[in-house]
Amino acid sequence: MTTKQTPRTAQAERTEQPERTRRTVAVLGPGGVGGLLAALLSRSGHRVVCLAREDTADTLRTGGIQVRSRQFGDFTAPVEADTELREPVDACLITVKHTGLDDALTRVPPAALGDALLVPLLNGVEHPAALRARYRSGLVAPAVIRVEATRTAPGVLEHDSPFTEIDLASDTAPRPRLDALAAVLSGAGPTTRVVEDETAALWAKMAFLAPLALLTTRYGVPLGEVRTRHEDELRALVAETAAVSRACGGPADPAAALARYAAFPATTRSSMQRDAEAGRPLELDAIGGALLRAADRHGVAVPVAARLVAELRESGH
């Protein structure tokens, strides 16, 4: 049984870290996911600098970030905010949508980033290579996050899932740096672990996300209706994505994926579906397009995925 926690002030919640363990973390894109992580890090005593447009930065400077969370309760956390990174930090979390990544990265000049870990928490599998071409490749540390959090207004977000889990991995970053960041994140609330295989971590999420995103968005229905009305397509798509994942060196367990879908609430919607309903740009290329490109490179047939991506593109997405 979950007890609703009453709102708390930042002063009451904030736990000051000893100076030797206090970290400075930049968050590029303080929306649902980024805002939640920024607020949790601030509440646990770390210095947080959110990077956003001027209007959003002004709102965050004056009002902080207000969180309504099933897992962490309701609280408001103070953060710093700017339109661009102007000083060294220990880590920079990239939490924008893939559709806005190129524009957002102008807020993080490579010279200002210095030797900070660059941690993208994006959907898809192609962004680490793009970031390594732009920044110091040895400091890019991709992460996968499992959470449902939505920004309802600048500086206001709702965290609906009873979990926040992060897998942190990097084929290039020093393991001690990853362990230290994982400890910081875990100390702030999210269950965080360092995993050995970057490719496996990214494809584990991709293989689960792609069928969910493509089917819920194509048909405009929640997962429960996908499971019943489009079961054959779901099974076929899960098999296709598992085959591509296997070819790329990632995990492949269609039965486990189907079991996970069966365990989710029938009302579950994908973030791509919510973007479509709100008229926002879709991460179709980062998810569906990347899946098709990987399939083509490895000679894996993905007819269901190809049809769904084509139909979504033809519909104006």
PDB file of all heavy atoms in Angstrom, residues 214-236:
ATOM      1  N   LEU A 214       6.251   1.607 -31.899  1.00  0.00           N
ATOM      2  CA  LEU A 214       5.718   1.557 -33.260  1.00  0.00           C
ATOM      3  C   LEU A 214       4.243   1.158 -33.273  1.00  0.00           C
ATOM      4  O   LEU A 214       3.425   1.763 -33.988  1.00  0.00           O
ATOM      5  CB  LEU A 214       6.539   0.596 -34.110  1.00  0.00           C
ATOM      6  CG  LEU A 214       7.985   1.025 -34.389  1.00  0.00           C
ATOM      7  CD1 LEU A 214       8.723  -0.072 -35.155  1.00  0.00           C
ATOM      8  CD2 LEU A 214       8.035   2.344 -35.154  1.00  0.00           C
ATOM      9  N   LEU A 215       3.871   0.162 -32.495  1.00  0.00           N
ATOM     10  CA  LEU A 215       2.495  -0.323 -32.531  1.00  0.00           C
ATOM     11  C   LEU A 215       1.514   0.620 -31.840  1.00  0.00           C
ATOM     12  O   LEU A 215       0.429   0.888 -32.359  1.00  0.00           O
ATOM     13  CB  LEU A 215       2.418  -1.728 -31.930  1.00  0.00           C
ATOM     14  CG  LEU A 215       3.020  -2.832 -32.810  1.00  0.00           C
ATOM     15  CD1 LEU A 215       3.166  -4.129 -32.028  1.00  0.00           C
ATOM     16  CD2 LEU A 215       2.159  -3.054 -34.046  1.00  0.00           C
ATOM     17  N   THR A 216       1.865   1.122 -30.659  1.00  0.00           N
ATOM     18  CA  THR A 216       0.939   2.037 -29.974  1.00  0.00           C
ATOM     19  C   THR A 216       0.751   3.323 -30.771  1.00  0.00           C
ATOM     20  O   THR A 216      -0.348   3.874 -30.820  1.00  0.00           O
ATOM     21  CB  THR A 216       1.431   2.375 -28.557  1.00  0.00           C
ATOM     22  OG1 THR A 216       2.746   2.951 -28.633  1.00  0.00           O
ATOM     23  CG2 THR A 216       1.433   1.154 -27.657  1.00  0.00           C
ATOM     24  N   THR A 217       1.813   3.789 -31.417  1.00  0.00           N
ATOM     25  CA  THR A 217       1.717   5.030 -32.186  1.00  0.00           C
ATOM     26  C   THR A 217       0.991   4.807 -33.508  1.00  0.00           C
ATOM     27  O   THR A 217       0.150   5.619 -33.912  1.00  0.00           O
ATOM     28  CB  THR A 217       3.121   5.604 -32.458  1.00  0.00           C
ATOM     29  OG1 THR A 217       3.827   5.715 -31.226  1.00  0.00           O
ATOM     30  CG2 THR A 217       3.026   6.980 -33.095  1.00  0.00           C
ATOM     31  N   ARG A 218       1.284   3.719 -34.183  1.00  0.00           N
ATOM     32  CA  ARG A 218       0.637   3.454 -35.478  1.00  0.00           C
ATOM     33  C   ARG A 218      -0.868   3.318 -35.326  1.00  0.00           C
ATOM     34  O   ARG A 218      -1.647   3.843 -36.145  1.00  0.00           O
ATOM     35  CB  ARG A 218       1.221   2.177 -36.091  1.00  0.00           C
ATOM     36  CG  ARG A 218       0.456   1.639 -37.302  1.00  0.00           C
ATOM     37  CD  ARG A 218       0.490   2.616 -38.465  1.00  0.00           C
ATOM     38  NE  ARG A 218      -0.280   2.113 -39.589  1.00  0.00           N
ATOM     39  CZ  ARG A 218      -1.596   2.276 -39.747  1.00  0.00           C
ATOM     40  NH1 ARG A 218      -2.294   2.948 -38.825  1.00  0.00           N
ATOM     41  NH2 ARG A 218      -2.218   1.784 -40.798  1.00  0.00           N
ATOM     42  N   TYR A 219      -1.326   2.641 -34.281  1.00  0.00           N
ATOM     43  CA  TYR A 219      -2.751   2.393 -34.133  1.00  0.00           C
ATOM     44  C   TYR A 219      -3.432   3.325 -33.135  1.00  0.00           C
ATOM     45  O   TYR A 219      -4.657   3.300 -33.007  1.00  0.00           O
ATOM     46  CB  TYR A 219      -2.988   0.928 -33.752  1.00  0.00           C
ATOM     47  CG  TYR A 219      -2.540  -0.022 -34.834  1.00  0.00           C
ATOM     48  CD1 TYR A 219      -1.452  -0.870 -34.643  1.00  0.00           C
ATOM     49  CD2 TYR A 219      -3.182  -0.043 -36.076  1.00  0.00           C
ATOM     50  CE1 TYR A 219      -1.022  -1.721 -35.647  1.00  0.00           C
ATOM     51  CE2 TYR A 219      -2.751  -0.886 -37.093  1.00  0.00           C
ATOM     52  CZ  TYR A 219      -1.672  -1.723 -36.872  1.00  0.00           C
ATOM     53  OH  TYR A 219      -1.241  -2.565 -37.873  1.00  0.00           O
ATOM     54  N   GLY A 220      -2.655   4.127 -32.420  1.00  0.00           N
ATOM     55  CA  GLY A 220      -3.240   5.071 -31.486  1.00  0.00           C
ATOM     56  C   GLY A 220      -3.989   4.425 -30.340  1.00  0.00           C
ATOM     57  O   GLY A 220      -5.023   4.938 -29.892  1.00  0.00           O
ATOM     58  N   VAL A 221      -3.480   3.307 -29.856  1.00  0.00           N
ATOM     59  CA  VAL A 221      -4.138   2.581 -28.770  1.00  0.00           C
ATOM     60  C   VAL A 221      -3.111   2.239 -27.698  1.00  0.00           C
ATOM     61  O   VAL A 221      -1.911   2.157 -27.977  1.00  0.00           O
ATOM     62  CB  VAL A 221      -4.800   1.283 -29.278  1.00  0.00           C
ATOM     63  CG1 VAL A 221      -5.896   1.606 -30.289  1.00  0.00           C
ATOM     64  CG2 VAL A 221      -3.760   0.335 -29.881  1.00  0.00           C
ATOM     65  N   PRO A 222      -3.544   2.029 -26.462  1.00  0.00           N
ATOM     66  CA  PRO A 222      -2.603   1.638 -25.399  1.00  0.00           C
ATOM     67  C   PRO A 222      -2.174   0.186 -25.555  1.00  0.00           C
ATOM     68  O   PRO A 222      -2.711  -0.574 -26.383  1.00  0.00           O
ATOM     69  CB  PRO A 222      -3.423   1.848 -24.124  1.00  0.00           C
ATOM     70  CG  PRO A 222      -4.844   1.697 -24.550  1.00  0.00           C
ATOM     71  CD  PRO A 222      -4.908   2.225 -25.943  1.00  0.00           C
ATOM     72  N   LEU A 223      -1.228  -0.218 -24.718  1.00  0.00           N
ATOM     73  CA  LEU A 223      -0.626  -1.533 -24.826  1.00  0.00           C
ATOM     74  C   LEU A 223      -1.650  -2.652 -24.693  1.00  0.00           C
ATOM     75  O   LEU A 223      -1.548  -3.673 -25.381  1.00  0.00           O
ATOM     76  CB  LEU A 223       0.464  -1.692 -23.756  1.00  0.00           C
ATOM     77  CG  LEU A 223       1.167  -3.045 -23.675  1.00  0.00           C
ATOM     78  CD1 LEU A 223       1.821  -3.409 -25.001  1.00  0.00           C
ATOM     79  CD2 LEU A 223       2.193  -3.041 -22.548  1.00  0.00           C
ATOM     80  N   GLY A 224      -2.637  -2.488 -23.823  1.00  0.00           N
ATOM     81  CA  GLY A 224      -3.642  -3.539 -23.646  1.00  0.00           C
ATOM     82  C   GLY A 224      -4.338  -3.892 -24.946  1.00  0.00           C
ATOM     83  O   GLY A 224      -4.566  -5.073 -25.244  1.00  0.00           O
ATOM     84  N   GLU A 225      -4.677  -2.885 -25.747  1.00  0.00           N
ATOM     85  CA  GLU A 225      -5.335  -3.144 -27.024  1.00  0.00           C
ATOM     86  C   GLU A 225      -4.358  -3.706 -28.050  1.00  0.00           C
ATOM     87  O   GLU A 225      -4.743  -4.502 -28.910  1.00  0.00           O
ATOM     88  CB  GLU A 225      -5.992  -1.868 -27.551  1.00  0.00           C
ATOM     89  CG  GLU A 225      -7.194  -1.429 -26.729  1.00  0.00           C
ATOM     90  CD  GLU A 225      -7.940  -0.281 -27.381  1.00  0.00           C
ATOM     91  OE1 GLU A 225      -8.285  -0.380 -28.567  1.00  0.00           O
ATOM     92  OE2 GLU A 225      -8.171   0.731 -26.680  1.00  0.00           O
ATOM     93  N   VAL A 226      -3.101  -3.307 -27.966  1.00  0.00           N
ATOM     94  CA  VAL A 226      -2.091  -3.911 -28.831  1.00  0.00           C
ATOM     95  C   VAL A 226      -2.004  -5.410 -28.553  1.00  0.00           C
ATOM     96  O   VAL A 226      -1.940  -6.236 -29.478  1.00  0.00           O
ATOM     97  CB  VAL A 226      -0.716  -3.236 -28.635  1.00  0.00           C
ATOM     98  CG1 VAL A 226       0.389  -4.053 -29.299  1.00  0.00           C
ATOM     99  CG2 VAL A 226      -0.730  -1.822 -29.197  1.00  0.00           C
ATOM    100  N   ARG A 227      -2.015  -5.770 -27.271  1.00  0.00           N
ATOM    101  CA  ARG A 227      -1.895  -7.183 -26.900  1.00  0.00           C
ATOM    102  C   ARG A 227      -3.062  -8.018 -27.405  1.00  0.00           C
ATOM    103  O   ARG A 227      -2.898  -9.208 -27.698  1.00  0.00           O
ATOM    104  CB  ARG A 227      -1.789  -7.319 -25.376  1.00  0.00           C
ATOM    105  CG  ARG A 227      -0.500  -6.781 -24.782  1.00  0.00           C
ATOM    106  CD  ARG A 227      -0.333  -7.197 -23.333  1.00  0.00           C
ATOM    107  NE  ARG A 227      -1.418  -6.757 -22.477  1.00  0.00           N
ATOM    108  CZ  ARG A 227      -1.277  -5.992 -21.389  1.00  0.00           C
ATOM    109  NH1 ARG A 227      -0.062  -5.566 -21.055  1.00  0.00           N
ATOM    110  NH2 ARG A 227      -2.314  -5.670 -20.662  1.00  0.00           N
ATOM    111  N   THR A 228      -4.237  -7.432 -27.498  1.00  0.00           N
ATOM    112  CA  THR A 228      -5.417  -8.197 -27.897  1.00  0.00           C
ATOM    113  C   THR A 228      -5.738  -8.057 -29.381  1.00  0.00           C
ATOM    114  O   THR A 228      -5.895  -9.053 -30.093  1.00  0.00           O
ATOM    115  CB  THR A 228      -6.634  -7.762 -27.066  1.00  0.00           C
ATOM    116  OG1 THR A 228      -6.816  -6.343 -27.187  1.00  0.00           O
ATOM    117  CG2 THR A 228      -6.437  -8.111 -25.594  1.00  0.00           C
ATOM    118  N   ARG A 229      -5.783  -6.829 -29.868  1.00  0.00           N
ATOM    119  CA  ARG A 229      -6.205  -6.596 -31.251  1.00  0.00           C
ATOM    120  C   ARG A 229      -5.081  -6.758 -32.260  1.00  0.00           C
ATOM    121  O   ARG A 229      -5.337  -6.988 -33.448  1.00  0.00           O
ATOM    122  CB  ARG A 229      -6.811  -5.189 -31.375  1.00  0.00           C
ATOM    123  CG  ARG A 229      -8.119  -5.026 -30.618  1.00  0.00           C
ATOM    124  CD  ARG A 229      -8.539  -3.577 -30.529  1.00  0.00           C
ATOM    125  NE  ARG A 229      -8.529  -2.913 -31.835  1.00  0.00           N
ATOM    126  CZ  ARG A 229      -8.692  -1.599 -32.004  1.00  0.00           C
ATOM    127  NH1 ARG A 229      -8.870  -0.826 -30.931  1.00  0.00           N
ATOM    128  NH2 ARG A 229      -8.683  -1.084 -33.207  1.00  0.00           N
ATOM    129  N   HIS A 230      -3.835  -6.636 -31.811  1.00  0.00           N
ATOM    130  CA  HIS A 230      -2.698  -6.703 -32.731  1.00  0.00           C
ATOM    131  C   HIS A 230      -1.644  -7.697 -32.228  1.00  0.00           C
ATOM    132  O   HIS A 230      -0.450  -7.483 -32.396  1.00  0.00           O
ATOM    133  CB  HIS A 230      -2.083  -5.311 -32.909  1.00  0.00           C
ATOM    134  CG  HIS A 230      -3.064  -4.280 -33.360  1.00  0.00           C
ATOM    135  ND1 HIS A 230      -3.475  -4.151 -34.667  1.00  0.00           N
ATOM    136  CD2 HIS A 230      -3.750  -3.328 -32.655  1.00  0.00           C
ATOM    137  CE1 HIS A 230      -4.355  -3.161 -34.770  1.00  0.00           C
ATOM    138  NE2 HIS A 230      -4.544  -2.654 -33.565  1.00  0.00           N
ATOM    139  N   GLU A 231      -2.116  -8.779 -31.650  1.00  0.00           N
ATOM    140  CA  GLU A 231      -1.199  -9.747 -31.039  1.00  0.00           C
ATOM    141  C   GLU A 231      -0.233 -10.343 -32.056  1.00  0.00           C
ATOM    142  O   GLU A 231       0.966 -10.495 -31.771  1.00  0.00           O
ATOM    143  CB  GLU A 231      -1.978 -10.870 -30.362  1.00  0.00           C
ATOM    144  CG  GLU A 231      -1.077 -11.901 -29.685  1.00  0.00           C
ATOM    145  CD  GLU A 231      -1.855 -13.042 -29.071  1.00  0.00           C
ATOM    146  OE1 GLU A 231      -3.081 -13.116 -29.263  1.00  0.00           O
ATOM    147  OE2 GLU A 231      -1.217 -13.883 -28.399  1.00  0.00           O
ATOM    148  N   ASP A 232      -0.728 -10.699 -33.228  1.00  0.00           N
ATOM    149  CA  ASP A 232       0.152 -11.325 -34.227  1.00  0.00           C
ATOM    150  C   ASP A 232       1.275 -10.373 -34.645  1.00  0.00           C
ATOM    151  O   ASP A 232       2.435 -10.767 -34.784  1.00  0.00           O
ATOM    152  CB  ASP A 232      -0.652 -11.753 -35.451  1.00  0.00           C
ATOM    153  CG  ASP A 232      -1.566 -12.939 -35.160  1.00  0.00           C
ATOM    154  OD1 ASP A 232      -1.360 -13.602 -34.125  1.00  0.00           O
ATOM    155  OD2 ASP A 232      -2.488 -13.190 -35.962  1.00  0.00           O
ATOM    156  N   GLU A 233       0.919  -9.100 -34.848  1.00  0.00           N
ATOM    157  CA  GLU A 233       1.940  -8.114 -35.213  1.00  0.00           C
ATOM    158  C   GLU A 233       2.933  -7.914 -34.085  1.00  0.00           C
ATOM    159  O   GLU A 233       4.140  -7.764 -34.317  1.00  0.00           O
ATOM    160  CB  GLU A 233       1.288  -6.783 -35.577  1.00  0.00           C
ATOM    161  CG  GLU A 233       0.660  -6.734 -36.949  1.00  0.00           C
ATOM    162  CD  GLU A 233      -0.001  -5.405 -37.200  1.00  0.00           C
ATOM    163  OE1 GLU A 233      -1.104  -5.179 -36.662  1.00  0.00           O
ATOM    164  OE2 GLU A 233       0.588  -4.573 -37.924  1.00  0.00           O
ATOM    165  N   LEU A 234       2.442  -7.895 -32.851  1.00  0.00           N
ATOM    166  CA  LEU A 234       3.331  -7.728 -31.706  1.00  0.00           C
ATOM    167  C   LEU A 234       4.336  -8.871 -31.647  1.00  0.00           C
ATOM    168  O   LEU A 234       5.546  -8.644 -31.488  1.00  0.00           O
ATOM    169  CB  LEU A 234       2.514  -7.668 -30.410  1.00  0.00           C
ATOM    170  CG  LEU A 234       3.323  -7.600 -29.110  1.00  0.00           C
ATOM    171  CD1 LEU A 234       4.184  -6.346 -29.065  1.00  0.00           C
ATOM    172  CD2 LEU A 234       2.389  -7.654 -27.893  1.00  0.00           C
ATOM    173  N   ARG A 235       3.864 -10.099 -31.788  1.00  0.00           N
ATOM    174  CA  ARG A 235       4.765 -11.246 -31.735  1.00  0.00           C
ATOM    175  C   ARG A 235       5.786 -11.200 -32.875  1.00  0.00           C
ATOM    176  O   ARG A 235       6.974 -11.470 -32.674  1.00  0.00           O
ATOM    177  CB  ARG A 235       3.960 -12.542 -31.793  1.00  0.00           C
ATOM    178  CG  ARG A 235       3.176 -12.830 -30.517  1.00  0.00           C
ATOM    179  CD  ARG A 235       2.424 -14.145 -30.594  1.00  0.00           C
ATOM    180  NE  ARG A 235       1.776 -14.459 -29.331  1.00  0.00           N
ATOM    181  CZ  ARG A 235       2.373 -15.047 -28.304  1.00  0.00           C
ATOM    182  NH1 ARG A 235       3.651 -15.409 -28.405  1.00  0.00           N
ATOM    183  NH2 ARG A 235       1.718 -15.287 -27.190  1.00  0.00           N
ATOM    184  N   ALA A 236       5.320 -10.851 -34.069  1.00  0.00           N
ATOM    185  CA  ALA A 236       6.228 -10.795 -35.212  1.00  0.00           C
ATOM    186  C   ALA A 236       7.270  -9.701 -35.038  1.00  0.00           C
ATOM    187  O   ALA A 236       8.453  -9.888 -35.339  1.00  0.00           O
ATOM    188  CB  ALA A 236       5.431 -10.574 -36.496  1.00  0.00           C
TER     189      ALA A 236
END
